[in-house]
Amino acid sequence: MSERPRLVPILMYHAVTVAPTPATRELSVPPEAFAEQLAVLADGGFTPLTTAALAAAWRGGGPLPDRPVLITFDDGYEGVYRHALPALTRYGFPATLFVATGWLPGPYATGGAPDTMLDWDQVRKLAAAGVEIGGHSHSHPQLDGLGDERLRQEVLRCKEILAEEVGAPPESFAYPFGHSSRRVRHTVRGLGFRQALAVGNALAARRQGPYALARLTVRRRTGTEEFARIVEGRGLVRAFGRDRVFTKGYAVVRRSQQAVRLCTPGG
């Protein structure tokens, strides 16, 4: 009898904060809720991994713990250091942070950040505490809507800055807004990233390939009971049905826009 394919919940967080801005409120999580969710994982016998560790195991066919889970954060909000890190440290859980390098204050800032962001010293402290630091582009655009050169620069600039500031080039990448395409994935791979995460609001599986791994969105409205269900892979249609309809519809719009741009001189 063949072994059943392993499905892994990859949790996608954004801001962990008491007082989010209107722009980040829906995708923020209060610190006490985040701590309760970590308790659910600990009580359920889950073993958190970094993105790099999961991808390496799947790439090389290595063993995984009985109940693997990934805790990931997008963008680089200051609450990851202020609120999430103490809770992660309490449980001894690793995590992965995907940084939009132009959103962080300092010499590379492009502006446009929707809330208070980490500074580079905090990013280094997170890395020293065992948080994997991954790339999330430089200025957080929809990568599948960019021309080839701008796409390459968004990914490469992010990688170069992280290598300079953290001391090692990032291995993992997360697509802004979860949007990618074959061209985007090829670019990310070609620039040296070994794995990349989308959204999809589904459990991750090896068959998705290392550059299109699905994640589950954790929001401010995600209660403890719902969190316990989705991390087990139960009730995903009920929890994310509206998101999936929206994502499919928006994908059609993006493909139409890309076709128009490619057919337009200078596009």
Side-chain angles (χ1 to χ4, degrees):
M1 174 183 282
S2 61
E3 184 179 355
R4 183 178 179 182
R6 178 69 65 89
L7 300 176
V8 177
I10 303 181
L11 304 170
M12 180 180 68
Y13 290 93
H14 288 79
V16 181
T17 179
V18 175
T21 64
T24 59
R25 182 174 179 79
E26 182 181 356
L27 289 176
S28 70
V29 173
E32 61 274 16
F34 180 74
E36 289 171 2
Q37 289 161 5
L38 295 192
V40 168
L41 298 180
D43 293 345
F46 285 92
T47 301
L49 306 172
T50 63
T51 301
L54 174 67
W58 272 346
R59 183 179 291 107
L64 288 173
D66 287 339
R67 308 198 78 190
V69 65
L70 274 65
I71 301 166
T72 72
F73 302 90
D74 279 12
D75 301 342
Y77 298 103
E78 194 265 350
V80 175
Y81 179 80
R82 181 182 298 273
H83 300 298
L85 180 59
L88 291 166
T89 301
R90 190 179 316 131
Y91 286 98
F93 286 173
T96 304
L97 167 68
F98 296 103
V99 178
T101 49
W103 276 6
L104 272 58
Y108 321 107
T110 61
D115 209 328
T116 304
M117 309 305 288
L118 295 161
D119 61 38
W120 286 106
D121 186 53
Q122 290 171 326
V123 172
R124 287 187 286 271
K125 288 179 179 177
L126 285 163
V131 175
E132 178 191 0
I133 307 300
H136 196 46
S137 82
H138 185 54
S139 64
H140 204 279
Q142 296 177 12
L143 295 178
D144 57 348
L146 303 181
D148 290 347
E149 183 56 30
R150 171 83 190 283
L151 166 62
R152 185 177 187 279
Q153 287 303 314
E154 279 287 340
V155 179
L156 179 60
R157 181 73 172 137
C158 174
K159 180 182 179 181
E160 290 175 339
I161 291 171
L162 288 175
E164 175 70 21
E165 291 292 337
V166 181
E171 292 187 20
S172 306
F173 191 86
Y175 306 112
F177 306 101
H179 301 160
S180 71
S181 63
R182 181 177 297 178
R183 182 175 62 97
V184 171
R185 294 188 292 272
H186 179 78
T187 300
V188 169
R189 179 175 182 175
L191 288 172
F193 288 93
R194 292 178 57 78
Q195 51 273 332
L197 303 183
V199 182
N201 287 316
L203 298 178
R206 188 177 182 182
R207 67 178 179 273
Q208 293 163 354
Y211 294 93
L213 295 174
R215 290 189 287 176
L216 302 166
T217 307
V218 184
R219 295 184 172 86
R220 200 166 192 85
R221 68 172 186 264
T222 305
T224 303
E225 291 183 4
E226 182 180 10
F227 179 86
R229 287 194 300 270
I230 66 173
V231 79
E232 296 279 1
R234 296 185 285 109
L236 300 186
V237 172
R238 179 172 59 182
F240 301 114
R242 186 173 61 179
D243 302 75
R244 291 174 176 177
V245 170
F246 176 81
T247 298
K248 288 179 180 178
Y250 193 45
V252 172
V253 173
R254 294 202 315 276
R255 284 195 295 270
S256 299
Q257 291 172 336
Q258 291 162 20
V260 169
R261 186 177 62 255
L262 291 173
C263 292
T264 301

